[in-house]
Structure formats: structure tokens, C-alpha cells
Amino acid sequence: MKRESGASLPVWVENIAMPVTSPLQDNIRCDVCIVGAGIAGVTTAYLLAKEGRDVVLLEAKEIGGGETSRTTAHLSNALDERFDELIRLFGEDGARLAAQSHGKAIDKIEEIIKDEKIDCDFTRVDGYLFATDNKQQDDLMKELEALQKIGWLDVVLRKHSPLSTLTEYPCLQYPNQAHFHVLKYLSGLAKAFLEAGGRIFTKTKIERFETGPVVSAISKEGHAVAANHLVVTTNTPINDMVTMHTKQAPYRTYAIGLAVRQGEVPDALYWDMEDPYHYVRLLKGKTGGENAEDLDLLIVGGEDHKTGQAENLSQRFDALERWTRKHFPMAKEVVYRWSGQVLEPVDGLGFIGRNPGDSENVYIATGDSGHGMTHSTIAGMLITDLIQGRPNPWEKLYDPARKNTKSVGEFLKENLNVAAQFKDFVTPGEVNDPMEVLPGTGKIMRKGMSKVAVYCDQDGVRHQCSAVCTHLGCLVNWNEVERSWDCPCHGSRFDPFGRVITGPATKDLGPAE
């Protein structure tokens, strides 16, 4: 597979072959049209096809070419938003449903793997949340109390972690977590969807939607898919201009893969309690180096920051490596480095269901908050029930139209942060002349009353385009790690030449004035 969402190379893309597909070249009709062929879109498509629905799946890149390929592929219902906080926001019943839904998602993935005989290294493991100081130990006890309130009684407090170098403090042990190879799974799932009668069109960029009793998704080339139902699973919804983007914020997250000798690190999921926190898992028998037969890959993620709002991004990998060598001193060389993008909802839980303010037959899934694998599977299960007219106990919890008065503070904070980004229109540029931009880098330059994004390729040729994001008009910033222009407001990303990589923007950056 090609790396289509950035310059870095995730471990998952190597030696993966997706089913053969082609672009959309005609106007077609179907029962359900799904836009976005990551794990959420393919899962939803597969489950609906198994119900006998005629489903068409559209993707701007290749299958799994977006954020699904940039995960660390944890499968967990020990959620990033602590259950003590989820009880405050959603009550004990809501927090209990959140834990149960992500647990059911792991079960569903395991069921699909068995039904479709998908070889994807799925392994059930325990998860460990560990403290590293006295305050975190107190917070750990609060979390245990919250878990007991919602009836999750098989999470237990351990005096010692499974690895002596991890911490001297206690940890919580969560049973029945899991991990897998996400693109092996996605390839098998897409194949099963096609065998169930589904259709997939890749390299088909959707730029416009028409909704009503019949919905249409219209490609850049002008081809349309008309359907009775539309599902948008593009990480952040490209069919929504404003509403959903005020309810969540885009963050970049980083991952490294280091070689470790087999057996030196117990196979489990690990999470610390820092802010931003770190998350760890193993990928067995995979390092990518020579003499790798007795080596596993230790995958470590973290060091998150708001998209487009940080400098010296490559130093995030250095910080991850320092943290890893402190807690996993047996780790050897760094073999992989990559980054991805997650959407953090203001109230801690994702959004799955009918798109607010749209016709009743339009659905979205977004706001995965670092739990993209399970959240996407919940989306497939819940949206399938909604389309099939069946009740689902999670519908209200994940409703995109929900208003949570207890999260108003976070809502205001994130939207004030967005408003503050517009100050960049009156600041000087980073360079005064395109010749100051070095090969392989990008800089923002003021050009009269406007700002221009200048990229210098490896041959020394300078390329200029407008620095104004085509979503809602914020100014983009250069991402040195992924060699992309990233919007600090709502997370749209563009390649060095201004072409859209990820939404909510659907149009490329304009020409430089």
C-alpha cells in the first residue's frame, strides 16, 4: 500500500494488498451510499450488505488510505476519558453503556474474524493503566471507584505492574482487551463485503452532496451515486460545514515502533496517566530489520497536540523515545515513526447517528477520541440498526445532535481556540522571499494583503498556493513530519502542492494571489 495521508510510513502498510477496485465512472443508484473506506465505512458496508442491502462504498484514496492506516490498533473499552468523568457527564447508565459498547465492538471484530476467516493477528490481552506519582495513584483509586459504580467489577487493582521497569506504583488491570493488525483485518473485511455483493469505488473524491428523500454523493468528475441512505465516515464529516466541527477538535498523535526481544515485554496494552498520555502495545514477530526472527515490535504512541498548532514536530518522536527508554529500557533501535489525526469530542464520547440539521436518511460517524477501531465498529453496528429500523441501546448516547450542558466549558475553550487562529492574518510571514524556503520544506509568506504557502521541492523548485484553508478560511501551517499543510482550526490537511489530503475541506488550496 502507498502512504496516502502523509510522508511517514506506518508499520501496517507494508506488504498489504487490498482488493482490486477502480474509480467511479458513471452515475449509479443503490440503497445505501457510504463515503469513506476506512474501518468505519468498510464495517458499516459489510454489516449492511450482510442484511441484504445494496451498498456502494466510495473512497477518495485507496481502501484504508486515511487515518485507519495511522492507528496503533488498540482494541479497548478502557476509555481515554476516565469513567469518573464520564459518570459526571453522562451519569452511571451512560458511562456503563460506553464501556459495554466498546466491549461489544471488540466482540464483533472477533466474531467477524472467525466468520470470514481473516488472518490478522487478533489477540486477547489484558490492559494496564499505571500511575507514576502519588497524585496519579489517587486518581487511579478514583477510577477504580467509578468502575465499581458502573458494575465493571472484574477490573482489579494490582500492587505491582507486570513489568518492573514500568512503575513502582499500582496499576489497574482491565481484562478482555485486544490488539490486531488493522490493515490485514480491513483487507479481509473489504473482500468479504465485495463477496456479499457490495461495490467499492476508489480514487473517487466526493465534493458535493444533495440530500432529501433521495440523497446523492457527487464526485469531482461529476459522477453521482443516488441512494436511499447516505453514510459519511470520513474521520471528520465532509458533508457538514460548521455544526459538528464546533463539537470536536483535531489533534495530531505520534507513534514509534522499537525492536524488543521476544518475551522481554509481557503482551498487553499499557497506558500511563500523563497529559498527553502514552499508550503501548506489541506487534509480534515484526520489526522490519535484519535477523528479526526473535524480535517483536514495541509500538508506543502519544505526545498529542492540536493540529497545526505546534512547532518542531519531529521532536515529538524524540520525546516518545525518551519516555520509552525510561519505562522500557530493554527496547532496541527505533524501526518505524509515524503520526495520525484523532478528533476529540468536547464531552468525551464520539458522534454516531443522524447528521444534525440534515434529512433523516443521512448518517455520520466521527469523534473517535483515540478509540478509532472500536468506535468505528460501534458505528457499523449502530448505523446498521438505524437503517434497518431496529432499536439500539447506544443511539441516544452517541447521538450527534446531543447537547451536554456539563461540557459547556470545554466547548467554549475549543471554539475560542479556533477563533484565536484568525490572528495569523495580521502577523508577518515566516519568510520574506520564496528563496528563503529550503528544499523539502514549506513556509508561510506574506504577499501584499494575503498569505501564501510556499513549498520547495527536492529539486529546489518553489511552488506557491494560497495559505487560506478552503473549509472556513483559517490559515494553514507547515507540518514538517508529514510534509503537509495543516489547518489549525478544524484539521483539514493538504499536500505540499495544496491538494486536499483530509477534510473537512473538499477543495484544494487556491492559487497564490
Side-chain angles (χ1 to χ4, degrees):
M1 276 188 66
K2 295 183 290 184
R3 42 189 132 176
E4 296 192 275
S5 289
S8 65
L9 181 68
V11 61
W12 317 113
V13 305
E14 292 188 335
N15 303 315
I16 292 296
M18 290 293 171
V20 176
T21 55
S22 59
L24 179 68
Q25 296 180 331
D26 295 294
N27 295 335
I28 61 173
R29 298 184 65 87
C30 62
D31 190 12
V32 184
C33 174
I34 301 175
V35 180
I39 186 170
V42 178
T43 301
T44 307
Y46 166 83
L47 293 176
L48 284 165
K50 285 293 186 180
E51 299 268 5
R53 295 280 184 162
D54 176 20
V55 184
V56 167
L57 181 57
L58 305 174
E59 169 56 48
K61 305 180 184 76
E62 297 291 348
I63 299 167
E67 295 306 316
T68 294
S69 65
R70 296 185 163 270
T71 180
T72 53
H74 289 234
L75 299 172
S76 175
N77 58 343
L79 302 183
D80 293 358
E81 193 71 60
R82 300 282 173 250
F83 282 93
D84 181 56
E85 177 66 2
L86 288 175
I87 289 173
R88 184 186 74 83
L89 292 167
F90 295 96
E92 291 182 15
D93 288 343
R96 184 180 302 110
L97 284 173
Q100 290 174 350
S101 61
H102 283 269
K104 291 290 185 183
I106 302 173
D107 294 342
K108 176 58 73 172
I109 290 169
E110 186 174 30
E111 175 189 310
I112 291 171
I113 289 168
K114 290 178 180 177
D115 288 348
E116 302 299 343
K117 299 178 175 56
I118 300 173
D119 180 10
C120 61
D121 309 321
F122 177 90
T123 306
R124 287 279 186 174
V125 295
D126 289 331
Y128 294 92
L129 176 67
F130 63 93
T132 55
D133 60 33
N134 289 329
K135 181 183 182 306
Q136 291 179 8
Q137 181 175 280
D138 291 341
D139 290 341
L140 201 69
M141 296 308 298
K142 289 180 185 176
E143 186 67 359
L144 181 59
E145 291 173 11
L147 293 167
Q148 291 171 342
K149 284 181 182 177
I150 66 172
W152 195 356
L153 302 180
D154 52 357
V155 177
V156 295
L157 182 70
R158 297 294 185 193
K159 186 175 180 181
H160 301 289
S161 74
L163 195 63
S164 61
T165 58
L166 206 57
T167 182
E168 297 177 351
Y169 287 82
C171 61
L172 292 181
Q173 179 183 4
Y174 297 77
N176 289 318
Q177 312 299 290
H179 56 59
F180 67 166
H181 189 300
V182 59
L183 290 191
K184 286 182 180 178
Y185 174 73
L186 194 68
S187 177
L189 190 62
K191 180 173 179 287
F193 166 63
L194 292 170
E195 289 174 349
R199 291 174 282 173
I200 302 176
F201 297 96
T202 51
K203 297 296 180 185
T204 301
K205 180 182 171 186
I206 299 303
E207 286 195 340
R208 188 162 56 90
F209 298 90
E210 295 177 356
T211 60
V214 175
V215 290
S216 293
I218 302 158
S219 73
K220 184 177 181 179
E221 292 75 24
H223 304 306
V225 177
N228 297 316
H229 304 272
L230 171 68
V231 184
V232 179
T233 55
T234 51
N235 194 37
T236 189
I238 61 170
N239 60 324
D240 181 272
M241 183 61 73
V242 177
T243 303
M244 294 310 302
H245 309 296
T246 68
K247 296 184 174 188
Q248 57 187 9
Y251 281 76
R252 297 302 296 173
T253 188
Y254 297 81
I256 57 175
L258 306 91
V260 291
R261 291 200 177 278
Q262 290 181 2
E264 285 192 318
V265 177
D267 192 7
L269 305 182
Y270 303 93
W271 313 282
D272 74 1
M273 301 179 72
E274 302 293 334
D275 184 17
Y277 83 113
H278 301 85
Y279 43 98
V280 184
R281 60 157 291 188
L282 281 177
L283 179 59
K284 294 214 168 171
K286 176 69 177 181
T287 64
E290 296 181 3
N291 304 317
E293 62 277 358
D294 63 343
L295 296 177
D296 293 331
L297 192 72
L298 183 72
I299 299 175
V300 183
E303 298 299 320
D304 300 13
H305 64 81
K306 287 289 292 288
T307 298
Q309 297 188 34
E311 297 179 351
N312 302 317
L313 304 188
S314 59
Q315 293 181 8
R316 303 283 168 159
F317 294 126
D318 299 334
L320 272 182
E321 185 174 353
R322 286 194 300 272
W323 183 91
T324 303
R325 298 205 181 283
K326 176 182 177 181
H327 295 283
F328 298 86
M330 71 291 293
K332 299 180 181 298
E333 72 274 14
V334 175
V335 186
Y336 295 92
R337 293 179 175 87
W338 73 91
S339 73
Q341 188 148 298
V342 297
L343 278 301
E344 291 290 348
V346 295
D347 63 3
L349 290 181
F351 303 103
I352 303 167
R354 292 181 172 85
N355 190 38
D358 217 329
S359 55
E360 285 287 298
N361 53 353
V362 178
Y363 309 83
I364 59 172
T366 188
D368 54 40
S369 186
H371 286 268
M373 305 298 96
T374 46
H375 183 264
S376 295
T377 306
I378 293 168
M381 299 162 73
L382 174 52
I383 291 173
T384 295
D385 281 346
L386 293 175
I387 290 176
Q388 292 296 99
R390 293 191 293 256
N392 185 295
W394 314 326
E395 179 179 355
K396 184 178 178 182
L397 184 69
Y398 292 110
D399 184 2
R402 70 178 184 265
K403 293 180 174 64
N404 194 327
T405 57
K406 295 178 181 178
S407 64
V408 168
E410 191 67 19
F411 176 87
L412 292 173
K413 172 186 156 188
E414 292 293 358
N415 285 282
L416 286 171
N417 174 273
V418 168
Q421 305 312 310
F422 286 91
K423 71 180 187 304
D424 292 340
F425 276 93
V426 297
T427 60
E430 297 171 299
V431 295
N432 296 316
D433 188 288
M435 299 309 292
E436 298 177 52
V437 183
L438 299 177
T441 69
K443 296 288 184 182
I444 299 296
M445 182 181 75
R446 178 166 289 285
K447 199 171 185 179
M449 296 299 293
S450 64
K451 283 197 168 179
V452 175
V454 183
Y455 168 68
C456 180
D457 64 28
Q458 296 295 346
D459 296 323
V461 178
R462 274 76 180 177
H463 306 265
Q464 298 184 27
C465 57
S466 170
V468 179
C469 176
T470 53
H471 174 229
L472 288 178
C474 291
L475 291 176
V476 297
N477 290 310
W478 178 249
N479 178 334
E480 67 193 69
V481 167
E482 302 299 350
R483 293 204 290 275
S484 62
W485 297 105
D486 295 358
C487 177
C489 289
H490 302 109
S492 297
R493 297 179 56 241
F494 306 83
D495 76 6
F497 309 101
R499 297 182 291 246
V500 173
I501 298 174
T502 57
T506 58
K507 296 186 181 301
D508 300 340
L509 295 177
E513 294 182 11

